[in-house]
């Protein structure tokens, strides 16, 4: 598995913490920035990471901003992306099981590094349940295709 990561300045510190964790567990990743924590616009980072995941080049994405919300809204504009903004472990697990989310968005001003690390682990290790949820994902795809 290879991960695409990115943050604006609001999520920069949490992204650095999670990069340390990914390195410790031997998970391959690429950081799409920001690389210095200077003020930047979260839609630019969201677009780069979301397109990298949607292309299939990366298996999952992790995005960070101050709240996790702005960067998730922007990422969800890219076709094929199901980005979930989470602040608890239950949601981080179930967005994989039920929504087949491919990007987890976290708020650097909302959650601490310990909770964020647990959420990232759950998000990366949990498989999509399929079954009755498959049809619902298909309906999301149809909305994207403008077929509904
Ligand atoms: C930046 O100050 C902040 O607005 C951004 O990180 C994010 O929280 C937006 O949703």
């Amino acid at each position: 598995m290879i991960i695409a990561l990115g943050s604006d300045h609001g999520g920069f510190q949490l992204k650095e913490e999670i990069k340390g964790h990914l390195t410790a567990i031997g998970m391959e990743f690429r950081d799409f920035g920001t690389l210095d924590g200077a003020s930047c616009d979260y839609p630019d980072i969201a677009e780069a990471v979301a397109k990298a995941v949607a292309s299939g080049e990366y298996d999952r994405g992790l995005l960070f901003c101050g709240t996790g919300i702005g960067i998730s809204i922007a990422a969800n504009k890219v076709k094929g992306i199901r980005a979930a903004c989470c602040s608890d472990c239950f949601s981080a697990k179930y967005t994989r099981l039920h929504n087949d989310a491919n990007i987890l968005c976290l708020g650097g001003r909302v959650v601490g590094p310990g909770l964020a690390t647990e959420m990232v682990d759950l998000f990366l290790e949990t498989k999509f349940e399929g079954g009755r949820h498959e049809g619902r994902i298909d309906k999301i795809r149809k909305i994207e295709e403008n077929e509904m």
Side-chain angles (χ1 to χ4, degrees), residues 42 70 92 118 148:
Y42 60 81
E118 286 193 20
M148 290 189 80

Side-chain angles (χ1 to χ4, degrees), residues 8-10 42 65-71 109:
D8 73 352
H9 51 291
Y42 60 81
C65 69
T67 58
I69 297 171
I71 210 155
R109 297 170 185 156

Side-chain angles (χ1 to χ4, degrees), residues 89-131:
C89 289
F90 183 88
S91 301
K93 179 178 177 181
Y94 274 80
T95 198
R96 285 289 311 132
L97 284 170
H98 288 188
N99 313 130
D100 198 16
N102 45 18
I103 297 183
L104 177 66
C105 303
L106 300 172
R109 297 170 185 156
V110 180
V111 296
L115 175 57
T117 300
E118 286 193 20
M119 286 192 281
V120 166
D121 283 346
L122 282 166
F123 185 75
L124 297 182
E125 75 194 21
T126 304
K127 291 189 173 21
F128 178 46
E129 212 171 81

Side-chain angles (χ1 to χ4, degrees), residues 5-147:
L5 287 127
S7 77
D8 73 352
H9 51 291
F12 177 74
Q13 194 51 49
L14 187 57
K15 172 169 63 81
E16 294 306 299
E17 301 268 5
I18 295 301
K19 278 164 61 181
H21 174 63
L22 295 179
T23 301
I25 64 173
M27 187 70 73
E28 205 180 339
F29 64 85
R30 177 179 161 194
D31 188 348
F32 284 74
T34 177
L35 301 177
D36 60 10
S39 183
C40 63
D41 297 333
Y42 60 81
D44 298 334
I45 306 294
E47 183 178 12
V49 168
K51 285 184 172 170
V53 173
S55 74
E57 199 180 341
Y58 293 82
D59 300 294
R60 303 269 170 81
L62 299 173
L63 285 170
F64 308 82
C65 69
T67 58
I69 297 171
I71 210 155
S72 67
I73 291 171
N76 276 313
K77 300 298 180 191
V78 174
K79 188 177 172 186
I81 290 304
R82 292 176 299 281
C85 178
C86 298
S87 303
D88 65 274
C89 289
F90 183 88
S91 301
K93 179 178 177 181
Y94 274 80
T95 198
R96 285 289 311 132
L97 284 170
H98 288 188
N99 313 130
D100 198 16
N102 45 18
I103 297 183
L104 177 66
C105 303
L106 300 172
R109 297 170 185 156
V110 180
V111 296
L115 175 57
T117 300
E118 286 193 20
M119 286 192 281
V120 166
D121 283 346
L122 282 166
F123 185 75
L124 297 182
E125 75 194 21
T126 304
K127 291 189 173 21
F128 178 46
E129 212 171 81
R132 70 188 191 280
H133 303 292
E134 192 63 62
R136 294 162 186 163
I137 302 302
D138 284 343
K139 288 191 175 188
I140 293 173
R141 290 196 188 99
K142 281 189 183 149
I143 294 170
E144 281 180 338
E145 300 293 347
N146 243 343
E147 285 177 6

